[in-house]
Amino acid sequence: MVNITFPDGNVRQYEEGVSGLDIAKSLSNSLAKKVLSVKVNNEVWDANRTIMTDATVQLLTWRDTEGKTTFWHSSAHLLAEALQALYPGVKFTIGPAIDNGFYYDIDLGEGRTIRTEDFPKIEKKMLELARQKNTFDRSDISKADALAHYEQLGNEYKTELISGLEDGDITFYKQGGFTDLCKGPHIPHTGLVKAVKLTNVAGAYWRGDEKRNQLTRVYGISFPKASELEEYNRLVEEAKKRDHRKLGAQLKLFAFSEKVGAGLPLWLPKGTKLRQILQDFLMEEQRKQGYEMVMTPHIGKQDLYITSGHFAKYGEDSFQPIQTPKKGEVYLLKPMNCPHHCEIFKTSLWSYRELPKRLAEFGTVYRYEQSGELNGLLRVRGFTQDDAHIFCMPDQLLEEFKKVIDLVMLVFTRLGFGEFTAQISLRDQEDRSKYIGSDENWEKAEQAIIQAAEDKGLKTVIEYGEAAFYGPKLDFMVKDALNRSWQLGTIQVDYNLPERFELEYVGADNQKHRPVMIHRAPFGSMERFISVLIENTAGNFPLWLAPDQAVVLPISEKFIPYANEINERLKQHNYRSTVDIRNEKIGRKIRDASVQKVPYQLVVGEKEVTNQEVAVRRHGEGDRGSVAVDALLEMMAAEM
Amino acid sequence: MVNITFPDGNVRQYEEGVSGLDIAKSLSNSLAKKVLSVKVNNEVWDANRTIMTDATVQLLTWRDTEGKTTFWHSSAHLLAEALQALYPGVKFTIGPAIDNGFYYDIDLGEGRTIRTEDFPKIEKKMLELARQKNTFDRSDISKADALAHYEQLGNEYKTELISGLEDGDITFYKQGGFTDLCKGPHIPHTGLVKAVKLTNVAGAYWRGDEKRNQLTRVYGISFPKASELEEYNRLVEEAKKRDHRKLGAQLKLFAFSEKVGAGLPLWLPKGTKLRQILQDFLMEEQRKQGYEMVMTPHIGKQDLYITSGHFAKYGEDSFQPIQTPKKGEVYLLKPMNCPHHCEIFKTSLWSYRELPKRLAEFGTVYRYEQSGELNGLLRVRGFTQDDAHIFCMPDQLLEEFKKVIDLVMLVFTRLGFGEFTAQISLRDQEDRSKYIGSDENWEKAEQAIIQAAEDKGLKTVIEYGEAAFYGPKLDFMVKDALNRSWQLGTIQVDYNLPERFELEYVGADNQKHRPVMIHRAPFGSMERFISVLIENTAGNFPLWLAPDQAVVLPISEKFIPYANEINERLKQHNYRSTVDIRNEKIGRKIRDASVQKVPYQLVVGEKEVTNQEVAVRRHGEGDRGSVAVDALLEMMAAEM
């Protein structure tokens, strides 16, 4: 008998050789039908693999990330099986699961290609094979036999892979008529795959090396229910509409220029306004919490980054150092603001009474990202962190953490991200050699984070071993309107930089002590935050954030004076308002205002002038009829 | 007879061979005593040099910049004469007048030095020689004789200089026992120098080349009246007190760090506040004038600067280009914002109805200055321009110029610079080949500037040939409290960048046309402006600008709650206020608040709590007695 421990701590006894599937069946038949794989002592296994010793066991289904991964990896094998049937002689290389689906890299051979037009045929074949409910059978194979198998198939990719593996450590998986070199694990049988969609086809170099063969990468996604594919298709369509790159151009928020450089956003007037409103909002909240703003240059001497330790990580894949006429005087584009803030802290000798010092800056930093990884505002090469560094005594950590959590929660709530969770990253529970700083301080900091999150009622996940080497941290994940998760704000404890910069304060004992630092950024970066904000709101910003809150649309030139009057009234009440004085038909003016998603579109013509009213259209809602200006102002004030 | 034309247009006849001095005597004896040199047909001559043809003549005195230059250059010769007497065998190199005095670079020979302790002795000798009223006698000398003269003296510096001169073009000047290779001109005699002060001694390389001999540079200044030296000394003392570098540290506005890099200011919380207030003030005024804010990155691809033409001027003395992992993808730290703004203009096709487009940015730029030229915030390597570019039709230039002049005048007046003049820089009247753009457009732009300045009642000086090759400009000079002049704001027309970036708008004729650009910056740069502002106010900022407007000073711990109450009241009225809660004596608290130059220092103790009052000290004025908080608020509001 073996003792099986479940995630809830329960222990049950089973026959030696029991499988995850057997265990599931012992609990409930309907559960057994959903099991995709099983986590045995923290390793993911095939659900039908036998368990020979005592173990902790977690049954994985579609609800678990690792269950999905297994499902999609098996779907990659299914894709391969279909391709083998449709493209005889095709050579397979690797076919992993990815965040949202799977792909397989294949060598179709001279003159053959796959186009999106071919997708339906392949999808059909995959579903046909899936319906055969073929099991995935694992077998150990010697290195020699494995090599022989693929040499016979003339597949130089697999033989290259096998050459790098240890004999005794090689397994094949076979489902239906398809066998693959594979470590597994896989789902019990192909029949679990009920819906399939191929999403893309692209070129990919063998082993990512542009000097080697170019392969064909076929991307797909699959689901255990047809309805889930429908939901997926709906979300893809919705996401396309909300694509912040598309909306950024449509709403004239930002642009990119080939001449300025990829990944370097140009903020247009409306985007700049949006950013300023967000920055002002955060600045005001920070002021209330005792933050002080500073400004620092966008470069720093190499020495600064040698002191901070960043230079050691500054490699060939970074923006290269900036030489000057003076030999040995070398600068770097700043990749972060903390070293500059440490130098500001050092300009005075602080008393413990003056701590915490909270130095904040909207600091623009530059990091070279590969061009293929650039993505609108979401992934750029120059971005502005809503950065702050809190220099405090170790005993002040809990209080400061709570304040920062308050601030982050306030920011998220005000900006419409009601649903968020936090990940607490702590030290590895076993190996503590890789962390800098005393055990006592770490203990204090970790407890402070856990305590602060608890006090503030945060929904948290603790991840051991995910802390940075210099301190534990807390990251916020928000869910957007399409149920997508985004990592935004972060709070991080740092014992390292105060050490490296030899920061000090004078304690109550009149002795010098080392402060601890907190790095924090509620938005994360202005660019990233705004891209998520655009996608979450589909560009329909709440009234207080909209760069243009109202536009007055005179029906003809005759009504421009009245339109200007309305506009002035709105401006007197501090609304951002304009008048569309173009010589265009009213229909066109309304259409353009709607494209720009201006919240209040105020039409004025003969009737409105006579009655001293405006015809109100609320974008996204439609007509609200004609009202007096005072009523409009009340309407808008209520919405603010 | 020769016809002499005076600056006022009057023409008088004189004997051929008349000198400037003779002309002066013919007008008034007292004027003749003041004449230092004379401008003949736009060239500055010795006052006693003979005039043989018709000429325009301007007599130069101490009131004229060129008169001062002659005076100081002659004083350099006087210094040399004194040094020759005191340090036999000293070798002379060059001794020019500078903006504020003169210097002479000398080779004292092995083992001899001059220290500031030696200054009184040298000054005494100079005055002794001055009292001899020796004339400065000019003589033409052949190259061979000139060389022989200095070879005999063993002066390799002068022989090197002479080698580079044309024979027939070489003159010596002699006063008393001192002869010098010199082009002149000089003052009539040494007796005009009544007061002398040596100001500094420093090392200087021969011909500025660090591989050559190091010489001793002795700096001095001289005056035609002893009282002027006294006034100079007073201003020097006052300037020292107002030195923005000293006050910047004292008021905790900004700091520099060796590690971050020379010339790269770190803005401390109070300096950041000051900058933000100035920026907010300008932004609000710009908003009223229809400017739109944008934000652009601090780097740009080399291509961008090849298009703009800046790259061609980017030499070895600049920050060097930033390489990336991708070969050929090279960036530059941006030295100006205009190319980025041109790229923003290009993101849309504008109709003439939408012009002018006024794009503004507080854009931080980086330019490598030699370390010896860095000077606090006045001369830095990274600075933020209050930049804007106005894209308009040529016909809109006049209107836009007037608006910009309004803005600049508003800024100067609000910030306490009541006295300012403007220099209009136009094309060279003869050689027009070096200018880009059509004659018609230049004419239009030049007339627009002249007209706008006149309409706005500006005090202007027109300088021909001082325009940039791409357009005429207007620069503002302000006078500070010590009567020093500073160049601040600038407005500049540009036909070049619209051409290079191929900017276009659609005209009323439905055809594409090229807009013209105006560059303008009322402050010039935030750094430079703030340094001048600090020196002008001696750090006593007007109340609306002061980073901390009030500080509440409780006499002891007991009164902290009441102090907090007062502080909250002030904050409710949007004043920037703090409480000094330190455990210090009240005398110390007041002293520290005064060092920080906090305008309102509010002392609270037993009596104030009882009477619900505060004891008001206005920095720079002293006690205003105890008043109720409402009265204090009125007092402050009145001052705002």
Side-chain angles (χ1 to χ4, degrees):
Chain A
M1 301 295 278
V2 291
N3 290 308
I4 299 299
T5 309
F6 291 91
D8 60 4
N10 272 342
V11 180
R12 292 175 69 153
Q13 287 202 330
Y14 289 94
E15 295 285 335
E16 198 181 290
V18 70
S19 74
L21 219 47
D22 297 333
I23 295 171
K25 279 179 193 153
S26 80
L27 297 171
S28 117
N29 262 329
S30 67
L31 173 62
K33 280 184 189 154
K34 289 185 200 153
V35 166
L36 301 173
S37 50
V38 60
K39 203 164 179 179
V40 179
N41 293 332
N42 248 345
E43 211 179 319
V44 184
W45 284 17
D46 298 331
N48 56 17
R49 192 162 156 195
T50 52
I51 300 169
M52 308 302 289
T53 61
D54 289 357
T56 64
V57 160
Q58 183 192 353
L59 301 168
L60 299 170
T61 71
W62 183 250
R63 289 169 171 235
D64 304 293
T65 305
E66 287 151 319
K68 279 200 180 76
T69 300
T70 310
F71 188 87
W72 284 331
H73 181 196
S74 296
S75 302
H77 281 231
L78 195 59
L79 166 62
E81 189 180 357
L83 292 172
Q84 181 180 265
L86 297 170
Y87 301 87
V90 56
K91 292 179 193 172
F92 296 100
T93 68
I94 58 162
I98 53 179
D99 271 359
N100 223 350
F102 56 88
Y103 67 77
Y104 217 117
D105 282 352
I106 56 173
D107 181 349
L108 282 163
E110 203 65 26
R112 288 202 294 193
T113 55
I114 289 179
R115 296 207 180 76
T116 47
E117 299 90 273
D118 305 317
F119 285 0
K121 175 182 69 182
I122 303 169
E123 287 163 359
K124 197 176 151 216
K125 188 73 186 171
M126 284 174 75
L127 288 176
E128 184 188 315
L129 294 166
R131 279 191 294 270
Q132 294 175 4
K133 297 192 182 178
N134 295 317
T135 52
F136 287 85
D137 301 322
R138 173 190 174 94
S139 58
D140 290 309
I141 188 160
S142 72
K143 190 164 179 172
D145 287 352
L147 283 171
H149 174 81
Y150 281 110
E151 270 158 19
Q152 196 195 330
L153 290 172
N155 186 328
E156 65 274 29
Y157 306 103
K158 293 284 188 185
T159 53
E160 183 179 328
L161 290 176
I162 293 164
S163 307
L165 299 176
E166 292 280 321
D167 201 1
D169 210 24
I170 302 173
T171 51
F172 276 10
Y173 271 85
K174 175 173 181 299
Q175 94 271 17
F178 177 72
T179 300
D180 206 348
L181 168 72
C182 179
K183 280 199 298 194
H186 283 283
I187 57 178
H189 61 85
T190 60
L192 294 165
V193 179
K194 302 284 196 209
V196 156
K197 182 185 169 83
L198 298 187
T199 52
N200 199 10
V201 59
Y205 292 104
W206 169 231
R207 301 204 137 174
D209 179 349
E210 61 189 57
K211 293 190 199 90
R212 307 198 63 179
N213 277 3
Q214 198 176 13
L215 307 170
T216 301
R217 176 171 296 177
V218 182
Y219 288 92
I221 191 164
S222 57
F223 301 92
K225 280 186 191 167
S227 61
E228 298 220 29
L229 173 58
E230 281 161 32
E231 175 63 7
Y232 168 83
N233 284 334
R234 193 187 67 77
L235 288 178
V236 166
E237 280 314 302
E238 187 56 32
K240 265 188 210 157
K241 280 189 226 154
R242 290 166 180 251
D243 187 322
H244 77 277
R245 295 166 301 185
K246 186 173 144 264
L247 285 174
Q250 181 181 323
L251 304 187
K252 297 185 198 289
L253 298 175
F254 59 88
F256 290 94
S257 139
E258 193 43 53
K259 265 199 182 137
V260 170
L264 296 171
L266 298 171
W267 288 87
L268 304 180
K270 289 190 190 189
T272 305
K273 193 78 223 158
L274 178 63
R275 243 185 89 162
Q276 281 174 335
I277 297 165
L278 285 169
Q279 292 189 182
D280 287 349
F281 160 63
L282 183 58
M283 257 197 289
E284 176 56 18
E285 295 303 328
Q286 287 182 164
R287 193 190 59 73
K288 289 184 199 159
Q289 279 204 4
Y291 286 79
E292 300 177 290
M293 299 298 294
V294 296
M295 294 185 188
T296 65
H298 304 92
I299 56 174
K301 263 165 98 174
Q302 192 167 293
D303 298 356
L304 182 71
Y305 301 100
I306 289 172
T307 298
S308 73
H310 292 119
F311 186 67
K313 289 166 191 160
Y314 214 86
E316 278 184 10
D317 55 349
S318 310
F319 280 114
Q320 293 304 293
I322 304 165
Q323 305 293 329
T324 69
K326 194 167 159 199
K327 221 176 154 179
E329 188 188 355
V330 178
Y331 293 84
L332 302 185
L333 269 176
K334 78 172 167 187
M336 52 260 302
N337 303 302
C338 13
H340 287 78
H341 290 192
C342 287
E343 284 295 294
I344 287 186
F345 185 83
K346 287 194 86 162
T347 58
S348 279
L349 182 57
W350 305 99
S351 147
Y352 70 101
R353 292 166 182 272
E354 295 171 284
L355 300 187
K357 269 275 136 197
R358 308 179 188 92
L359 302 182
E361 177 173 22
F362 291 97
T364 307
V365 296
Y366 293 87
R367 301 181 192 168
Y368 193 84
E369 302 282 348
Q370 293 303 316
S371 62
E373 294 183 359
L374 298 175
N375 177 4
L377 289 185
L378 201 52
R379 199 76 177 267
V380 286
R381 287 178 177 163
F383 56 98
T384 302
Q385 298 180 308
D386 56 324
D387 217 352
H389 297 95
I390 300 171
F391 301 86
C392 65
M393 296 184 272
D395 285 341
Q396 294 173 317
L397 270 181
L398 174 60
E399 199 50 39
E400 286 307 302
F401 243 90
K402 280 159 76 173
K403 281 182 136 179
V404 177
I405 293 174
D406 277 343
L407 186 67
V408 175
M409 286 171 68
L410 175 77
V411 166
F412 287 177
T413 310
R414 276 300 299 276
L415 290 162
F417 297 103
E419 205 181 323
F420 49 87
T421 54
Q423 175 180 313
I424 298 176
S425 300
L426 306 180
R427 278 174 300 178
D428 193 314
Q429 287 185 292
E430 279 123 47
D431 178 13
R432 299 200 155 171
S433 63
K434 57 186 168 185
Y435 304 102
I436 182 179
S438 75
D439 229 48
E440 188 197 336
N441 277 338
W442 268 88
E443 195 55 43
K444 208 178 255 174
E446 293 185 340
Q447 284 316 311
I449 297 183
I450 294 167
Q451 183 70 44
E454 198 181 311
D455 287 1
K456 292 295 166 190
L458 273 186
K459 236 165 82 186
T460 55
V461 186
I462 293 186
E463 294 285 350
Y464 291 96
E466 289 292 311
F469 75 94
Y470 51 83
K473 64 177 175 168
L474 189 147
D475 292 310
F476 285 85
M477 310 284 300
V478 301
K479 277 227 165 135
D480 76 0
L482 299 190
N483 218 21
R484 295 172 297 183
S485 281
W486 304 93
Q487 204 245 292
L488 290 177
T490 178
I491 321 178
Q492 186 138 14
V493 180
D494 188 345
Y495 290 108
N496 180 42
L497 286 185
E499 196 71 34
R500 285 182 157 269
F501 278 91
E502 301 178 345
L503 304 184
E504 288 175 337
Y505 67 91
V506 178
D509 57 2
N510 225 11
Q511 301 295 305
K512 289 183 177 171
H513 299 273
R514 189 128 294 163
V516 54
M517 249 172 104
I518 300 174
H519 309 250
R520 42 106 286 179
F523 292 145
S525 87
M526 299 312 293
E527 286 72 12
R528 185 176 172 84
F529 188 83
I530 288 175
S531 69
V532 175
L533 188 67
I534 294 171
E535 303 218 350
N536 190 43
T537 59
N540 296 305
F541 303 116
L543 188 58
W544 69 279
L545 265 184
D548 284 341
Q549 296 171 308
V551 58
V552 192
L553 311 173
I555 283 178
S556 76
E557 219 163 89
K558 202 173 128 197
F559 308 109
I560 290 181
Y562 183 67
N564 285 335
E565 242 175 74
I566 304 294
N567 189 39
E568 282 311 311
R569 281 291 298 280
L570 287 167
K571 284 191 170 180
Q572 276 160 24
H573 286 77
N574 287 317
Y575 289 109
R576 295 176 291 277
S577 171
T578 57
V579 181
D580 186 345
I581 56 161
R582 293 176 306 161
N583 191 16
E584 299 282 359
K585 295 244 168 70
I586 187 68
R588 169 71 186 272
K589 288 185 181 182
I590 292 174
R591 214 155 46 242
D592 288 350
S594 299
V595 166
Q596 298 271 312
K597 307 193 181 225
V598 182
Y600 281 86
Q601 302 162 11
L602 309 168
V603 180
V604 296
E606 193 68 51
K607 189 173 134 251
E608 283 72 25
V609 174
T610 310
N611 301 338
Q612 291 289 297
E613 290 185 337
V614 290
V616 180
R617 294 176 52 91
R618 178 64 179 88
H619 179 68
E621 294 180 13
D623 285 341
R624 285 195 184 167
S626 287
V627 300
V629 181
D630 284 339
L632 166 69
L633 288 169
E634 267 172 44
M635 207 185 274
M636 291 176 76
E639 198 178 331
M640 294 286 286
Chain B
M1 301 297 276
V2 291
N3 291 310
I4 299 300
T5 310
F6 291 91
D8 60 6
N10 273 342
V11 181
R12 292 175 69 156
Q13 288 201 325
Y14 289 93
E15 295 285 334
E16 196 182 292
V18 69
S19 73
L21 218 46
D22 297 332
I23 295 171
K25 278 179 194 152
S26 79
L27 297 172
S28 118
N29 261 329
S30 67
L31 172 62
K33 281 183 191 155
K34 289 187 202 151
V35 167
L36 300 174
S37 51
V38 59
K39 205 164 177 178
V40 179
N41 294 332
N42 248 345
E43 209 179 320
V44 184
W45 285 16
D46 298 330
N48 55 18
R49 192 163 157 193
T50 53
I51 300 168
M52 307 304 290
T53 60
D54 289 355
T56 63
V57 160
Q58 183 192 354
L59 301 168
L60 300 170
T61 69
W62 183 251
R63 288 170 172 236
D64 304 294
T65 305
E66 288 152 317
K68 278 202 182 74
T69 300
T70 311
F71 190 86
W72 284 331
H73 181 196
S74 296
S75 302
H77 280 231
L78 194 58
L79 166 62
E81 189 181 358
L83 293 171
Q84 181 180 264
L86 297 171
Y87 301 87
V90 57
K91 292 180 193 172
F92 296 99
T93 68
I94 56 161
I98 52 178
D99 272 359
N100 223 348
F102 57 86
Y103 67 77
Y104 217 117
D105 281 352
I106 57 173
D107 181 349
L108 282 163
E110 202 67 24
R112 288 201 296 192
T113 55
I114 288 179
R115 296 209 178 77
T116 47
E117 298 91 273
D118 304 316
F119 286 0
K121 177 181 66 181
I122 303 168
E123 288 163 359
K124 201 176 148 212
K125 188 72 184 174
M126 286 174 74
L127 288 176
E128 185 188 314
L129 294 166
R131 279 191 296 269
Q132 295 175 2
K133 298 192 178 176
N134 295 317
T135 52
F136 286 85
D137 302 321
R138 174 189 174 94
S139 57
D140 290 311
I141 187 160
S142 72
K143 191 165 180 171
D145 287 350
L147 284 171
H149 174 80
Y150 280 109
E151 270 159 18
Q152 195 195 332
L153 290 172
N155 186 327
E156 67 273 27
Y157 306 102
K158 293 285 187 183
T159 53
E160 183 179 328
L161 291 176
I162 293 163
S163 307
L165 299 176
E166 292 279 322
D167 202 0
D169 211 23
I170 301 173
T171 50
F172 276 10
Y173 272 84
K174 176 174 179 299
Q175 96 270 13
F178 178 71
T179 300
D180 206 348
L181 168 73
C182 179
K183 281 198 296 198
H186 283 283
I187 56 178
H189 62 85
T190 59
L192 294 165
V193 179
K194 302 285 197 210
V196 156
K197 183 187 167 83
L198 297 187
T199 52
N200 199 10
V201 59
Y205 292 104
W206 169 233
R207 301 202 136 177
D209 179 349
E210 60 189 57
K211 292 190 200 93
R212 307 198 63 181
N213 276 3
Q214 197 176 14
L215 307 169
T216 301
R217 176 171 293 177
V218 182
Y219 288 94
I221 190 162
S222 56
F223 301 92
K225 277 185 194 168
S227 61
E228 297 220 29
L229 174 57
E230 280 161 32
E231 176 63 9
Y232 169 81
N233 283 333
R234 193 187 68 75
L235 289 177
V236 166
E237 280 313 303
E238 187 57 33
K240 264 188 210 160
K241 279 188 224 152
R242 288 163 180 254
D243 186 324
H244 78 278
R245 295 166 300 185
K246 187 175 144 261
L247 285 174
Q250 181 181 322
L251 305 187
K252 296 183 197 289
L253 298 174
F254 58 88
F256 289 93
S257 138
E258 192 44 52
K259 267 201 180 134
V260 170
L264 297 170
L266 300 170
W267 288 87
L268 306 180
K270 291 190 189 189
T272 305
K273 194 76 221 157
L274 178 64
R275 244 185 87 162
Q276 281 175 335
I277 297 166
L278 285 169
Q279 292 189 183
D280 287 350
F281 160 62
L282 183 59
M283 257 198 290
E284 176 57 18
E285 295 304 327
Q286 288 182 165
R287 192 190 59 74
K288 288 183 198 158
Q289 280 205 1
Y291 286 79
E292 299 176 292
M293 298 297 296
V294 298
M295 292 186 192
T296 65
H298 303 92
I299 57 175
K301 261 166 101 174
Q302 192 167 292
D303 298 357
L304 183 71
Y305 301 100
I306 290 172
T307 299
S308 72
H310 292 119
F311 185 67
K313 290 167 192 160
Y314 213 87
E316 278 184 11
D317 55 349
S318 311
F319 280 113
Q320 293 304 294
I322 304 165
Q323 305 293 330
T324 69
K326 195 168 159 198
K327 223 177 151 179
E329 187 188 355
V330 179
Y331 293 84
L332 301 186
L333 268 176
K334 80 171 164 185
M336 54 258 305
N337 303 302
C338 13
H340 287 79
H341 291 192
C342 287
E343 284 296 295
I344 287 186
F345 185 84
K346 286 195 85 161
T347 58
S348 277
L349 181 57
W350 304 100
S351 148
Y352 71 101
R353 293 166 182 273
E354 294 171 285
L355 299 188
K357 270 274 138 198
R358 306 178 189 93
L359 302 182
E361 176 173 22
F362 291 97
T364 307
V365 297
Y366 293 87
R367 300 180 192 169
Y368 193 84
E369 302 282 347
Q370 294 303 316
S371 63
E373 294 183 359
L374 298 175
N375 177 6
L377 289 185
L378 200 53
R379 199 73 179 269
V380 286
R381 286 178 177 163
F383 57 97
T384 302
Q385 297 180 308
D386 55 322
D387 217 352
H389 296 95
I390 301 172
F391 301 85
C392 64
M393 295 185 272
D395 285 341
Q396 293 173 318
L397 270 182
L398 174 61
E399 199 49 41
E400 287 306 303
F401 243 90
K402 279 158 75 171
K403 282 183 137 180
V404 176
I405 292 175
D406 277 343
L407 186 67
V408 175
M409 285 170 71
L410 175 77
V411 166
F412 286 179
T413 310
R414 275 300 300 277
L415 290 163
F417 297 103
E419 205 181 323
F420 50 85
T421 54
Q423 174 179 314
I424 299 177
S425 300
L426 306 180
R427 277 174 301 178
D428 192 316
Q429 287 185 291
E430 278 121 46
D431 178 13
R432 298 201 155 170
S433 63
K434 57 186 169 185
Y435 303 101
I436 181 178
S438 74
D439 230 45
E440 187 198 338
N441 277 338
W442 268 88
E443 196 55 45
K444 208 178 257 175
E446 291 184 340
Q447 285 314 311
I449 296 183
I450 293 167
Q451 184 69 44
E454 197 181 310
D455 287 1
K456 292 296 167 189
L458 271 188
K459 236 163 82 184
T460 55
V461 185
I462 293 186
E463 295 284 352
Y464 291 96
E466 289 292 310
F469 75 94
Y470 51 83
K473 64 177 175 169
L474 190 147
D475 292 310
F476 285 86
M477 311 284 299
V478 300
K479 277 227 166 136
D480 76 1
L482 300 191
N483 217 23
R484 295 173 296 183
S485 282
W486 303 94
Q487 204 246 292
L488 291 177
T490 180
I491 320 177
Q492 185 137 12
V493 179
D494 189 344
Y495 289 108
N496 180 43
L497 286 185
E499 197 71 35
R500 285 184 157 268
F501 278 91
E502 300 178 347
L503 305 184
E504 288 175 338
Y505 67 91
V506 178
D509 58 2
N510 225 11
Q511 301 296 305
K512 289 185 179 170
H513 299 274
R514 189 126 296 162
V516 54
M517 246 172 109
I518 300 174
H519 309 251
R520 44 106 284 178
F523 293 144
S525 87
M526 299 311 293
E527 286 72 12
R528 185 177 172 83
F529 188 83
I530 288 176
S531 69
V532 174
L533 188 66
I534 293 171
E535 302 218 352
N536 189 43
T537 58
N540 295 306
F541 303 115
L543 188 57
W544 68 280
L545 267 183
D548 283 342
Q549 297 172 307
V551 57
V552 192
L553 312 173
I555 284 179
S556 76
E557 219 162 88
K558 205 172 128 195
F559 307 108
I560 291 181
Y562 183 66
N564 285 335
E565 243 175 71
I566 304 294
N567 188 40
E568 282 312 311
R569 282 290 297 281
L570 287 167
K571 284 190 169 179
Q572 276 161 22
H573 286 76
N574 287 319
Y575 289 109
R576 296 177 290 278
S577 171
T578 57
V579 182
D580 185 346
I581 55 160
R582 292 176 306 162
N583 191 16
E584 299 281 358
K585 294 244 168 70
I586 186 69
R588 171 69 186 274
K589 288 186 181 181
I590 292 174
R591 215 154 47 242
D592 288 350
S594 299
V595 166
Q596 298 270 311
K597 306 193 182 224
V598 181
Y600 281 85
Q601 301 163 12
L602 310 168
V603 180
V604 295
E606 191 68 50
K607 191 174 134 251
E608 284 72 26
V609 174
T610 310
N611 300 339
Q612 290 289 298
E613 293 185 335
V614 290
V616 180
R617 293 176 54 91
R618 177 66 178 86
H619 178 69
E621 294 180 13
D623 285 342
R624 285 193 184 169
S626 286
V627 300
V629 181
D630 284 339
L632 167 69
L633 289 169
E634 268 173 44
M635 208 184 275
M636 291 176 76
E639 197 178 332
M640 291 290 284

